[in-house]
Amino acid sequence: MLIINCPYCGPREQCEFTNGGEAHVARPSDPEKVSDKEWSEYVFFRSNPKGIYFERWVHSHGCKKWFNAVRDTSTDKVLKVYEIKDEKPSLADLENSNLTTPSGEPEVGSGNFTVRKI
Amino acid sequence: MSAKDNKDSPYIAFHQSVKFTFDGVKYKGFKGDTIASALIRNNIKIIGRSFKYHRPRGIYTCGIEEPNALVQILSEYSEPNTRATVKQIYEGLKIESQNRWPSLENDLSSVNNLLSPLFSAGFYNKTFMKPRGFWKKVYEPLIRKAAGLGKPPKPFKTKSTQLHHHVDIVIVGGGLSGLLAAKSLAKTKLKVLLIEQDSYLGGILKNSNKISTIESKDRASWIKDVETEIEYSKNIKVLKNTLATTYNYINYLIAIEDLTTGMMPLEGHADQILHKIRADHIILANGHIERLISFRNNDLPGIMLAGSFEKYIQRYGVIPNISPVIFSNNSSSFSLIKILIDLNCKPQAYVDSRSGDKIESSLLDIIHKENIPLFTNAHVEGCDGKKQVEEISIRDSEGIITKLKSKMLCISGGFNPDVHLFTQSKGVLTWDDKYLTFKPSKSFQNTIVIGSAGGLFQYSKLANDIDSKLSFLNHEPIVNINFELNESDNYSIEKLWETKHEKKSRWSKSFIDLQNDVTTKDLRQGIREGFDRIEHLKRFTTNSMGTDQGKISSINALGIVSEILNKKVSEVGTTIYRPPYAPLSFASIAGRSTYNFYDPERKTSIHEWHKKNGAVFENVGQWKRPWYFQSYLEENLDQAVQREALQIRKYAGVLDGSTLGKIEIKGSDALEFMNLMYTNNFSKMKPMSARYALMLGEDGMIMDDGIISKINDNHFIATTTTGGAAKVLSHMEEFSQTEWPHLNVFMNSITEQFCTFNISGPKTRLIMEKVFKHIKFDNESFPFMTFNNFTYLDSTIRILRASFTGELGYEIYVRPSIALKLWEDLFRFGKDEGLIAYGTETMHLLRAEKGYIIVGQDTDGSVTPQDMDLEWMIGKSKKDFIGKRSLTRSDTIRSDRKQLVGIKPINQKNIIEEGQHIILSSNVKPPVKMLGHVTSSYMSPNLGHSFGMAVIKDGKNLIGSRAYVSSSSRDAYEVEIMKSVFIDDENKRLVS
Amino acid sequence: MKKKYSIFNIARNAFSNHENWQKMWRSPEPKKNYDVIIIGGGGHGLGTAYYLAKEHGLTNIAVIEKGWLGGGNTGRNTTIIRSNYLWDESANLYEHSLKLWEGLTHDLNYNVMFSQRGVMNLAHTEHDIKEIKRRVSANTLNGIDSKWISKEEIKKLVPIMNTDNLRYPVLGASFQPRGGTARHDTVAWGYAMRADEMGVDIIQNCEVHKILTENGKVIGVETSKGIIQSKKVGVVASGHTSVLAESAGIRLPLQSKPLQALVSEPIKPVIDTVVMSNAVHAYVSQSDKGELVIGAGTDGYNSFTQRGGFDVVENTIRAMVELYPVFGKMKMLRQWGGIVDISPDASPIISKCDIQGLYFNCGWGTGGFKATPGSANVFAHTVAKNEPHSINAAFSLDRFVSGKLVDEHGAAAVAH
């Protein structure tokens, strides 16, 4: 189980949290003005990168606060947590995720070439 | 030649004999014996039958890696597949052999062995295809009947518990390396947990004769001294009889402690503890595992790994056979030979695949001195014997075969670092060309591997290994440690995975996986058929898929495959070990969160009243809600609901609605927020009034409904469905915190702060006036959909005029502490007016009669407000609310979507069933085109017939026409499609 | 040469000591150019190649697999096969698949051990009952052999089940007798062998790095073995599909999440059908080897690590112990995880996209195995004809724009 460092409560087991999907997906400010396609992008389409991923969590069995995190989905390593009001962190400020083959995969077949790195 | 006790072992209580039975025969062992050591003491060789060929099998190892000696424990809960090499005996233990019929000696299925040339890899997939109908009726039942090893266990409820640990360091393995590491950490401030699977610490010091003295002490005293030192240090906790099974992400280790080692587990008691450990660093000191060598009939009872043979002597005080033949490709058997000589049990012969010049001189010296027949540069070609080893064929470098009569053969194919846990941690392995094995190289977590687990097989380098790896912890360096050894400090090995068969028979077999009966021939065939990667081959042959997960043979398989393919082992791939390290009981994983504690029951404050008054409950989420109330003991659901429904429309009824979610919303932007969350427009609503409201998802589909009470623009109270309460609150929290954080609004669940009673029916006003004498309930003072706060028993209560049933009704919100008192008051004054308590089923019926939808029953996540004929609830003037935009997509504006309608049978004798479908004709021969389905249906005592609500394609336009509805009896009845309001279309009752 | 398998052929091979078995498939080096490239050598991908060759006469095909055949979700799932889905669109697709399963062993002359032992979906609440009865009715009218069975009938089929003394008692179930299980690996092997015989190049150990496009058209793929050209590329890469789509600039509404499963030690037969329970999230069947094969739920976050949380396994095991008291002292032998690609409506996407010649077969979430033959069959049609088969027309990418979803989690309330 992952450990998530709640910005308000500190590190806790992941089962205390609920994942809220991709972060920084803005709701169209004037929904009536966007096309069906643009609206569907907001409702249904989320990035699904292998590697660096900006996501939302809520400490649902804790302080109930929402916050953002940067996690490497190829290793599950959480690189940063930050408050909703904070700016999206620049990748340059993050610690390198030091990725090779975390699932013990052979070099070919790991899919790791696709990893979005810093 | 038979077994003999070695009374030098300090771990067996030779003065305490223990009686047990195996296949109905009584035997005697000693306290501390495992089933295996006790059976060896009694000269029992055959323990079970193999999976596929039903060949007799004996005890191959002396530990958790055992592939063969699996037994069923008849006492306790009839545990199947128990490793005889691990489970300790106790007085009265009853054991049975597995996978044989009628008996272990004469197993009829051993005919499979005769047919074995056919049972090649992939056998099942290439046959059983003809004749066509035979698969389902003949072949499949036969195959499935042959499945499995042991029989299923009996139900056995334990109080197996779980413990959480948060420590700095975990040391896995209390052997030599683990003890040295612990000793060096004893003087630090680090919180350390030391885990040992055996009942005693010591590892190789306890299990073998390899080390004669350590720090000039004999082995047992050294262990004792270190253990005392660890105990004294207080920063180290030792868990014995505890096996680390699972190494998860972020150094999260699962270990299972057996609390009943050598004891009978009792039902209702804690027999195991599952330790859940988070550690900053995990030190793997879990040693190594000996591997086999494949040769003809290398599965016969009487063949045992050499290290295990030695462990039986040292750890369990039994010499399995006083004169074994030893076959090895490495230097490790020296200590075994030495102890056998010391115990006056000289080996019958020593066979070494290495040439004489490569064998350690110390080993040769002792063999020569004792006149032990020596075969160098020689292989065991195979063994023969009916049910156990009787004759061993040894082939020397010139190919000459010597046959020895012997009942015991000890083999050693070298050692593998036990990398199971390390690979679970996702650590990467590397091939060691010197020791011919995989060893840990790169770890991806804070993992430190020391000693032989890390591939170090030299005692003289151990101190340095540990010191260098632990130095960052500021431990007390070990610096140096002196050993006196009964073997060479330079472990050497020569490559030998399999010896060549002399006689080429279609029946000869060299096993690679003993439990699954996989032979080296199967591996060859797999490669021939195209399975040239080890993981792929594993699936084709089932190699190392047994309960032992190929602990003693998976590296051998890699070795054999690499030779066949003429590739390096590292190119063939590594086997991925999947957790757990050894099978883990479900009960221990479930812990106490089962049986009574599976999921909490939520009960309202007047639950006990309901119970006393004939309530039959249903589960709604975690809540227990009265489903209906029995007025007499035999009254069934239908009878009760018909009675309740009539009574309420005629007199009055009260429903315990406390389970409905209640959320309080406050803040200077509360109004704006509510207008965004719900479809309705709350702006023009007067303070202290209420409104039925809809909540949508961003996809435009109905998510929840409820009544919104507006105290003022800065303060609202929302009710939700019982099941939707948590979801609605988190939905609100999510949008307020992430999408509109600029809005000043806060929300809080007050579901459990108030009980809610919904009272309705024509007599309601009368009753309310009697209960609350100071409150005016007339239409003018208390109009429909308004609310106010009042005082009752010195406490504030809130009364809202609203109704679930379409009758005159009120909702009373009251503190739980006085809820029962109020409920009883209602009945005190209401009984004479015909007031009854009713349950959810009647509530559903009454709602349906009025065409009120139930979210989750009449909706299913695929309907919009328009579909439900609730367009009037959409605040058209609002610029935005959640889900609004989705209502105008091309599919949601279609006019022929599925829409809510009412239906009633043309022939009133017909009963409409929920979940059945609306179809065009009475023809139900599939495939039948479906217009939609019946979302709710009831027998209405007020209408005198069955009726229903349905969502059907183009429903609005079909009102007034007829269609058919299917039924569970595979008939279809004609129905009339109508508006979904069946009673009081004009809402006269509601505002009466 | 076509390989014919039978007991006689095994006997012949037994005489030669099993030294003359033919390779089931070649290990070709990739050619420069193919008519169709299928990315992903699992059951769906290999099946697609098989049906392209068999039914559409296309044989100049490459199936590119980064690992070994069937080594992904095909070899990691709980092998449950059923077609009792709620909506007509899903029912048609899964029933098409089930019918193909029924003939697959003979079609391939390779025994996929399709075992029609029946699949049961339990109801634990009144709400479950309503939803299951609705599904049974829809299935019946669609010609799918689904029926409602009472607690007593459940007890007869699964005597070891505890129906009464548990937190959420068992109130009834739907039962589909034609449902069951199959031996997962063999499906991939069987398709691979027969596709190979018809000339399909199966290229293992070759990883696609990028889908190459030019002027809105697909032109090939860049792989660890170099560039391979083709005007048609079908992506059937489960968890990694969206990553590959992104390389062509296509955004898919998929999220990749860990899904875990486990098996117990092998025991003698104890449970004769497949039993699924959505309410307590546990499904189980017993393999032909005697292991209980148990599926757990997905973890709630995106991950490509093929590893989930132990808490998810715990929850599943708790439910198993509740439902089956005899399992309390069973032991978990192995647990593992895979990556599943989940779509917003829990239905698959079998579709063309804005790039000409690029096709996707994805979004199977937790339930793709059962659909293997049907999915492969209609996807082959879609790729060959450049238009969907009538069965998969509803499963297009457009549905997320129009809103015409095939929402299988809302209503069906069935774990896949």
Side-chain angles (χ1 to χ4, degrees), chain B residues 656-677:
Chain B
D656 182 3
S658 308
T659 61
L660 291 183
K662 295 176 274 291
I663 300 167
E664 189 163 32
I665 301 106
K666 271 185 173 178
S668 55
D669 294 320
L671 174 66
E672 188 181 345
F673 179 70
M674 292 298 280
N675 274 338
L676 285 164
M677 296 309 295

Side-chain angles (χ1 to χ4, degrees), chain C residues 43-97:
Chain C
H44 292 249
L46 292 163
T48 304
Y50 170 78
Y51 291 114
L52 276 171
K54 188 179 167 228
E55 295 184 356
H56 303 280
L58 290 165
T59 53
N60 186 25
I61 300 174
V63 177
I64 304 179
E65 166 54 46
K66 67 179 184 174
W68 67 91
L69 304 180
N73 290 349
T74 300
R76 288 166 189 271
N77 69 86
T78 49
T79 80
I80 298 170
I81 294 165
R82 62 190 178 90
S83 66
N84 56 347
Y85 276 69
L86 174 69
W87 301 106
D88 292 351
E89 295 86 348
S90 318
N92 287 342
L93 174 61
Y94 291 102
E95 179 61 19
H96 177 57
S97 195

